[in-house]
Amino acid sequence: METGLVLPHTGPSASPSFLQDFAQAAEGHKFRRLWAVDHLVLPEHVTSLYMLGREPTPVADGWLAENLAPNYEMMTTLAWVAGRTTTIGLGTSVAVLPLRNPVANARQPATLDALSGGRLTYGAGIGWLREEATAMGMPWDRRGARAEEHIALLRKLWCAHEPYVEFHGEFYDFAPMDPRPQPVQRPIPILVGGHSAKAIDRAARIGDGWIAAPTSVTRLTDLVTALRRAAETHGRSPDTLYTVASTAYDDARSFAETCGAVRRLGIDHLQIVIPGDEPRRIIDCLPHVAAVAGQ
């Protein structure tokens, strides 16, 4: 099982110097990937319910900004980190497709993958925060169907061999255009995020894999079982889906137990969040995290 780290690019401790030191230390300790999270808007008032827990959960006024600001934008952060590292992988966890124009969105990951030498894994989902899409002027209705067409458009541009590419879908339409620059990877792996039955089915049906938000091992077991059944339903071998689980590093004993349980589930990659507000302490604990995780 590979291990990776979530970049500290959101929250009160986020800073350029912390990001650089963290990324270079992670690469030095042989973690396989650095992940960035996605919010383009942090609204003060939220009526949308957070949907990735066992039950939909309300969000208190001001909570997002209090906990996630400053919020360095995901793709810009990954590009900046790519220029300060050499080999470590990069990942989105997860890009919210309904917030993005798909043509512009095809260009950003393709450019990052090309400039970084093929280091990007693209986690993508449909999001939960309607207020974010409203602020961006993007439609929220039928976002699952829109996201699936968005993914098809990304792959069309990334994998094109002809000099001009056109696309005619239900939601997106463009006349022939030059698809370049194209990524090193053809296509960039797309991992579908989400815990709902529809998200699991989408990952099994059109994803290169699935990426989970932090959850208990018990619930993760249920979700992985559902993913494997869905893959078989769609005529795919579950072993062809790359799976990513997420957890936080708290105390060494519980973290070691979680790593062991996740490894026994057959998860391919464990994404690790290191909580705290002291940059030096967080960076200093990376060798221990790597050792406990069996990196």
Side-chain angles (χ1 to χ4, degrees):
M1 181 180 71
E2 301 172 352
T3 55
L5 299 172
V6 176
L7 285 162
H9 67 108
T10 66
S13 299
S15 71
S17 60
F18 183 20
L19 272 170
Q20 175 173 297
D21 292 347
F22 183 93
Q24 291 174 344
E27 184 170 62
H29 291 297
K30 308 301 181 184
F31 286 96
R32 293 296 298 271
R33 194 167 305 278
L34 292 167
W35 298 91
V37 300
D38 191 25
H39 275 295
L40 291 176
V41 180
L42 302 178
E44 178 182 10
H45 178 66
V46 175
T47 60
S48 301
L49 299 176
Y50 180 73
M51 302 300 293
L52 288 172
R54 274 203 178 274
E55 300 292 337
T57 305
V59 177
D61 284 359
W63 188 93
L64 290 172
E66 289 170 9
N67 288 273
L68 299 180
N71 170 37
Y72 290 93
E73 191 275 325
M74 176 185 67
M75 293 302 296
T76 312
T77 296
L78 288 173
W80 191 82
V81 165
R84 286 157 175 79
T85 55
T86 56
T87 59
I88 194 166
L90 310 164
T92 62
S93 180
V94 297
V96 182
L97 297 182
L99 304 181
R100 291 171 165 77
N101 173 283
V103 177
N105 194 36
R107 289 286 181 264
Q108 284 187 311
T111 298
L112 177 54
D113 194 69
L115 295 179
S116 69
R119 288 196 268 160
L120 182 63
T121 295
Y122 197 69
I126 67 170
W128 62 274
L129 187 54
R130 185 182 188 122
E131 289 84 355
E132 200 170 13
T134 300
M136 296 294 295
M138 300 298 285
W140 192 246
D141 66 299
R142 299 187 63 198
R143 68 189 192 278
R146 292 177 187 275
E148 292 194 18
E149 189 169 296
H150 190 136
I151 289 171
L153 189 155
L154 295 179
R155 288 173 171 153
K156 178 85 169 180
L157 286 170
W158 292 345
C159 297
H161 296 287
E162 59 268 33
Y164 292 94
V165 178
E166 58 187 294
F167 188 91
H168 306 289
E170 181 180 358
F171 306 105
Y172 310 111
D173 188 283
F174 59 80
M177 67 167 66
D178 190 310
R180 299 171 294 180
Q182 290 176 292
V184 171
Q185 303 175 90
R186 302 285 189 92
I188 298 167
I190 296 177
L191 312 182
V192 174
H195 293 179
S196 70
K198 288 183 178 179
I200 294 292
D201 183 78
R202 185 176 297 117
R205 182 164 38 86
I206 67 170
D208 297 305
W210 173 69
I211 183 168
T215 191
S216 68
V217 172
T218 299
R219 188 168 186 229
L220 180 65
T221 302
D222 292 341
L223 292 168
V224 169
T225 299
L227 177 72
R228 290 170 178 162
R229 287 174 178 166
E232 291 170 352
T233 297
H234 293 294
R236 303 181 69 184
S237 168
D239 293 338
T240 64
L241 295 176
Y242 186 84
T243 51
V244 178
S246 304
T247 193
Y249 177 83
D250 191 358
D251 65 271
R253 180 176 179 178
S254 62
F255 177 68
E257 291 173 352
T258 297
C259 289
V262 170
R263 186 177 286 108
R264 287 190 294 274
L265 269 178
I267 295 294
D268 296 298
H269 183 103
L270 181 61
Q271 178 191 99
I272 303 163
V273 179
I274 303 179
D277 55 7
E278 300 178 25
R280 191 69 260 162
R281 185 196 68 79
I282 290 172
I283 291 172
D284 287 346
C285 83
L286 291 186
H288 185 64
V289 175
V292 174
Q295 181 60 36

